[in-house]
Amino acid sequence: MSVNRKKLLYLEVAQQIKKDILSGRYPVGSYIPTERELEEMFAVSKITVRNAVEILSNEGYLEKKSGKGTTVLSNRLFNRLSKANSFSSILEKQHELKKELMEIDVVDVQNNATLFEAFGESATCLKRMYYLDGEPYITFEHYFPVMSIKHAINEIESNSLYKWLALKGFDVANFSDRFYVVVDVDPMIRKILKLEDQPVLCRERHTENAEGEVVEISYGYYNTDAKAYQIDYEI
């Protein structure tokens, strides 16, 4: 790994170790390299390695065992969100949920001020569909920085979307969701969701890396006539 000296070294090291965990290089239950080995691998100091390991320990990926080494606890991307059930996990418990990756391409985003500010003139766009009990329920448009998209559909189908993004080198640290109602909906979205002229619920998500850089902006349009949006929390 070539560490970017302009960035915080421990964040770079933590990101690479996390990537190795997500890719399966360090399986759950195995030990990562020792502190000295990591120092040599990344050409960094002991304190940098310890800070990186502490970050991943706090995120639930690693556990330090005195005198034994550091063990991989999890290869899940969002360990810190485990107390909240995602909407898709709720749907899967109650309905037959089918997910379809429709297409991925590099597109011009100059006409969208939000996307243009985040990614420039072009962005990678992934379109997905969710079917609820066989009927169109959610259509998603995900936008990422321009990247190689060769074999992307197969790679995403083999991983979760955000795990794929992390494996591409775009580390996911946090995201924020904004919900609003859209009245003037794109006719194509209405056609896909089989809706007439009613307003449509939109979820706009902004995903950032540990340095606050935007790595994804997505728009999800929901047919709430079929089912309302729901989130369950464990207290």
Side-chain angles (χ1 to χ4, degrees), residues 20-227:
D20 289 338
I21 292 171
L22 296 176
S23 68
R25 181 178 180 184
Y26 304 135
V28 174
S30 69
Y31 290 95
I32 66 170
T34 65
E35 282 189 355
R36 178 167 294 183
E37 289 171 335
L38 290 172
E39 290 172 37
E40 295 176 355
M41 286 171 60
F42 297 111
V44 296
S45 67
K46 184 183 299 292
I47 189 63
T48 296
V49 169
R50 289 182 175 176
N51 285 340
V53 170
E54 182 179 1
I55 288 175
L56 296 178
S57 296
N58 291 336
E59 291 184 356
Y61 290 98
L62 299 176
E63 180 183 31
K64 294 191 69 175
K65 295 184 177 181
S66 179
K68 294 184 177 180
T70 303
T71 309
V72 178
L73 286 181
S74 173
N75 59 6
R76 294 177 54 198
L77 189 57
F78 295 125
N79 292 301
R80 289 175 296 178
L81 302 183
S82 60
K83 290 296 182 181
N85 292 322
S86 70
F87 186 42
S88 60
S89 68
I90 295 171
L91 292 176
E92 288 173 334
K93 292 179 181 178
Q94 302 173 353
H95 301 270
E96 178 187 351
L97 183 66
K98 178 184 176 183
K99 305 174 185 180
E100 179 184 359
L101 298 175
M102 299 170 64
E103 61 179 298
I104 186 168
D105 203 355
V106 175
V107 298
D108 188 316
V109 296
Q110 295 183 72
N111 291 331
N112 184 313
T114 300
L115 296 176
F116 179 74
E117 181 179 357
F119 306 120
E121 296 181 357
S122 301
T124 302
C125 177
L126 169 68
K127 295 184 179 181
R128 299 194 298 163
M129 276 291 302
Y130 278 22
Y131 295 89
L132 193 68
D133 298 328
E135 292 297 322
Y137 180 54
I138 315 171
T139 180
F140 287 105
E141 292 182 359
H142 302 267
Y143 294 89
F144 314 105
V146 173
M147 67 179 83
S148 172
I149 56 176
K150 187 177 181 180
H151 308 306
I153 294 294
N154 290 336
E155 291 171 352
I156 297 171
E157 287 177 339
S158 301
N159 300 279
S160 71
L161 174 61
Y162 292 106
K163 190 171 182 178
W164 168 79
L165 193 61
L167 292 172
K168 280 289 188 180
F170 297 98
D171 190 37
V172 176
N174 62 78
F175 58 74
S176 62
D177 290 341
R178 185 165 68 99
F179 293 87
Y180 49 86
V181 173
V182 181
V183 177
D184 186 18
V185 182
D186 186 324
M188 182 58 66
I189 292 175
R190 289 195 181 278
K191 182 178 180 180
I192 290 173
L193 294 178
K194 298 182 180 180
L195 296 174
E196 297 297 332
D197 58 356
Q198 65 266 51
V200 177
L201 176 68
C202 176
R203 186 203 73 187
E204 180 179 330
R205 170 169 291 180
H206 288 230
T207 306
E208 298 180 344
N209 61 19
E211 296 168 335
E213 299 168 336
V214 176
V215 296
E216 180 221 16
I217 295 176
S218 67
Y219 302 91
Y221 298 91
Y222 295 74
N223 178 2
T224 51
D225 284 353
K227 185 172 179 62

